[in-house]
Amino acid sequence: MAWEWLTGLSTQIMQAIPFTNLVEQIQQLPFEEKQVLSELLENYLREERRKEIYKTYQETKKNQEQLVFSSDINTLKKQLL
C-alpha cells in the first residue's frame, strides 16, 4: 500500500531524493496507491491552507484592535498622518 511506502521513507531519505526521482517513483506506483497518495496530499494541503487562513485571521484581529473609529474629520486626518 502507498501508506506503507510513505511511512517507510524517513525525512532524511525524502530530503535526499531529487524531486524528479520522486515523481518517477510515484508514476511507477499502482493506481490504488496513487489514489491514497493523492488523498494524503490533498489533506496536507487543506491543513496547510487552514493554518494560513487562521494566521491571517489572527493578524487581522490584531490590526483591528489598533483601529480607532471616529466621525470627526480632524481626528481622521490626524490618524492618516
Side-chain angles (χ1 to χ4, degrees):
M1 295 279 311
W3 183 251
E4 294 169 352
W5 177 79
L6 285 174
T7 56
L9 294 176
S10 70
T11 304
Q12 296 166 343
I13 293 173
M14 287 295 294
Q15 291 173 351
I17 298 175
F19 183 74
T20 54
N21 291 356
L22 181 61
V23 171
E24 289 171 3
Q25 288 181 3
I26 292 170
Q27 288 175 336
Q28 295 174 9
L29 290 174
F31 179 77
E32 294 80 18
E33 291 182 5
K34 289 178 188 174
Q35 282 184 310
V36 172
L37 183 57
S38 175
E39 291 170 10
L40 288 171
L41 288 172
E42 286 177 19
N43 289 339
Y44 295 150
L45 291 171
R46 190 177 300 117
E47 185 61 32
E48 282 185 39
R49 182 66 181 134
R50 284 181 184 144
K51 288 178 183 178
E52 183 181 318
I53 290 169
Y54 183 72
K55 180 181 174 186
T56 303
Y57 163 75
Q58 292 289 27
E59 290 171 357
T60 302
K61 186 177 173 184
K62 181 180 176 184
N63 290 337
Q64 283 181 344
E65 291 172 359
Q66 298 171 357
L67 294 178
V68 177
F69 296 97
S70 174
S71 59
D72 179 31
I73 190 70
N74 292 324
T75 304
L76 294 172
K77 286 181 181 178
K78 289 179 184 176
Q79 288 178 353
L80 292 174
L81 302 176

